Amino acid sequence: MGSMRLKAVILAGGFGTRLRPLTCTRPKILFPIGNRPLLDWTLEGLARSGVEEVILTVNYMAETFMQRYGEFSHGLRIRYSREKRPLKTGGPIKRAEELIGHEEAFLALNGDVFTNLDYRRLVESHRRSGATATIALYRVDDPSRYGVVELAEDGRVMRFVEKPPPEAAPSNLVNAGIYVLSPEIFGYIPEGRPVSIEHEVFPRLARDGRLYGYEFEGLWVDIGLPEDYLEANRLFLDTYAKGGWLGKDVHLEPDVEIVQPVLIGNGVTIGGKSKIGPYVVIGDHTSIGQGVCITNSIIFADAVVADFTSIRGAIIGENAIIGRWVKIEDRCIVGDHAIILDNVTLTRGVTVCPSKEVAESVLTPARLM
Ligand code: GDD
Ligand code: MG
């Protein structure tokens, strides 16, 4: 790559939908993966790949990003491009045109993706083909939730279709939300309005023969749905913390049973006869009572889980309070600051909005406001 200065634009705005109850105190891009904000993982990966400068495109909760990352973080210069209203996935890139400049190709990333892709490889592939845009591609079982491509032998994308119905998907190679773009791209994005890069820009580039794909393997997950977010944390545990990890000032009663992999944050307490794991991440300063059973779940920081409660396959928000003898199951989300009273059962797919108090059991998928 010689002496070029590689820049990366990160899309860090927009609103998560399904995970909304957990976005009270942090945007989706800052959700913890292994108790560390997703954006920290991304910045670290970019710095490792030789990126020098990152432009965060932000709208909602812009200050949260600015306070946390300032002007310099992870060895990268950080700049901000603020939108007054959300500009979707292409508009923010156009808006950052001046900060990006026209000298070199640059990286552009969806901020809600957890991956260990070597960005350098993607840049090299872009250089080789001379494309206007190269998109990182990942093979999945169900492509219908993503952008899907039809790829030619030589790596050219013949067709790009955003979220096709399952039977209409041209392949199971999907847009991983990571691109290298050459400055000509600015000519393809209209100015001053929201633009979807997937609907308006990529199909046109494909028709012009200017869009290429680069397939990779390894870790990749878009944390958009609760099950994906749980999966991202499972991948983290399997890859980086197989033997588990204990924070500082943790207090476990001697008869707590830990089934690895489990990550326990700083200042966590866990009462006697509780069984934790496998695949559990517990945020800092959370307090867990006795006889509690937790598997395949994420508990955010400062939550309280009282005695004899069981949590399986769920996500519990920051400062949530879960009473005694509560049962929370598959794909439930308990929003930040919510309260679940004693003896309540929440089965499959119940979402509890932030600060909501739940006094009665809910046995079918529902959203409790
Ligand atoms: N700055 C800014 N402004 N960022 C935004 C905006 C906006 O108005 N809207 C969305 N974003 C950010 C989101 O925070 C996210 O990081 C990224 O853009 C993509 O938006 P999502 O809403 O998460 O899109 P998606 O997951 O449904 O689909 C996209 O990602 C898939 C892969 O993860 C598409 O790019 C698909 O083609 C792709 O397969
Ligand atoms: Mg997404």
Side-chain angles (χ1 to χ4, degrees):
M1 279 185 274
S3 63
M4 59 161 295
R5 292 174 52 93
L6 188 55
K7 295 184 182 180
V9 187
I10 301 180
L11 297 169
F15 300 87
T17 42
R18 290 286 305 284
L19 294 167
R20 196 73 168 267
L22 303 168
T23 57
C24 241
T25 45
R26 70 196 79 66
K28 180 166 73 162
I29 279 83
L30 298 184
F31 276 20
I33 309 281
N35 279 348
R36 206 163 160 244
L38 172 55
L39 184 54
D40 284 34
W41 290 101
T42 307
L43 294 178
E44 203 174 271
L46 290 170
R48 247 198 332 262
S49 296
V51 171
E52 293 181 10
E53 186 173 318
V54 163
I55 296 147
L56 287 180
T57 68
V58 290
N59 42 56
Y60 145 82
M61 284 194 177
E63 285 74 19
T64 308
F65 290 100
M66 294 170 151
Q67 273 161 20
R68 184 173 168 90
Y69 297 97
E71 290 180 6
F72 202 76
S73 182
H74 293 81
L76 297 159
R77 165 136 199 233
I78 313 283
R79 308 179 82 177
Y80 300 86
S81 173
R82 292 185 72 158
E83 309 151 35
K84 290 188 204 73
R85 58 169 176 153
L87 294 174
K88 298 193 176 166
T89 49
I93 296 172
K94 182 69 177 174
R95 190 174 163 83
E97 182 168 356
E98 229 167 276
L99 288 177
I100 299 163
H102 283 221
E103 293 82 50
E104 297 280 0
F106 58 94
L107 283 156
L109 280 64
N110 286 349
D112 63 340
V113 165
F114 179 59
T115 183
N116 64 355
L117 167 70
D118 180 350
Y119 301 98
R120 241 174 314 211
R121 295 262 174 90
L122 179 64
V123 175
E124 280 158 16
S125 149
H126 181 80
R127 294 263 140 80
R128 273 196 303 272
S129 68
T132 299
T134 303
I135 58 187
L137 301 172
Y138 194 80
R139 215 170 270 284
V140 298
D141 294 332
D142 173 15
S144 64
R145 296 165 37 201
Y146 306 101
V148 190
V149 302
E150 183 185 323
L151 200 66
E153 283 286 298
D154 66 349
R156 206 185 307 184
V157 174
M158 307 310 286
R159 210 148 55 91
F160 184 99
V161 207
E162 182 65 10
K163 303 192 176 84
E167 60 293 348
S171 74
N172 61 352
L173 266 184
V174 304
N175 170 20
I178 304 164
Y179 323 121
V180 181
L181 306 174
S182 285
E184 307 98 78
I185 194 74
F186 295 117
Y188 280 85
I189 314 175
E191 199 169 356
R193 66 164 172 90
V195 177
S196 158
I197 201 166
E198 299 86 355
H199 285 105
E200 294 188 49
V201 179
F202 289 158
R204 246 181 83 204
L205 280 172
R207 279 196 295 276
D208 291 356
R210 302 296 303 144
L211 186 63
Y212 280 70
Y214 167 82
E215 185 182 346
F216 73 103
E217 285 168 4
L219 297 186
W220 180 82
V221 46
D222 170 322
I223 66 163
L225 297 177
E227 49 272 37
D228 300 327
Y229 180 50
L230 285 166
E231 167 73 4
N233 275 277
R234 278 197 301 270
L235 284 174
F236 157 80
L237 288 165
D238 277 338
T239 314
Y240 301 106
K242 240 189 160 19
W245 192 84
L246 263 193
K248 282 183 248 128
D249 305 319
V250 169
H251 183 81
L252 305 186
E253 287 297 316
D255 52 355
V256 168
E257 186 186 345
I258 302 283
V259 185
Q260 301 292 4
V262 169
L263 188 153
I264 297 177
N266 299 321
V268 168
T269 61
I270 304 181
K273 297 206 162 57
S274 287
K275 185 178 167 198
I276 312 293
Y279 298 105
V280 171
V281 176
I282 301 178
D284 292 347
H285 307 295
T286 278
S287 150
I288 301 200
Q290 55 175 315
V292 169
C293 180
I294 308 179
T295 59
N296 186 28
S297 295
I298 304 166
I299 319 285
F300 280 36
D302 300 302
V304 175
V305 180
D307 302 342
F308 309 113
T309 278
S310 113
I311 300 175
R312 298 168 193 280
I315 308 166
I316 310 295
E318 197 164 300
N319 279 297
I321 299 176
I322 315 294
R324 291 159 55 98
W325 298 103
V326 167
K327 252 196 198 146
I328 300 180
E329 295 182 347
D330 225 17
R331 289 186 212 178
C332 287
I333 303 178
V334 175
D336 298 328
H337 300 275
I339 300 174
I340 311 297
L341 297 181
D342 293 352
N343 303 306
V344 163
T345 295
L346 304 176
T347 55
R348 264 164 287 138
V350 174
T351 295
V352 179
C353 288
S355 306
K356 166 82 186 166
E357 187 176 294
V358 180
E360 274 167 51
S361 296
V362 180
L363 307 179
T364 49
R367 196 178 179 90
L368 312 179
M369 319 261 271

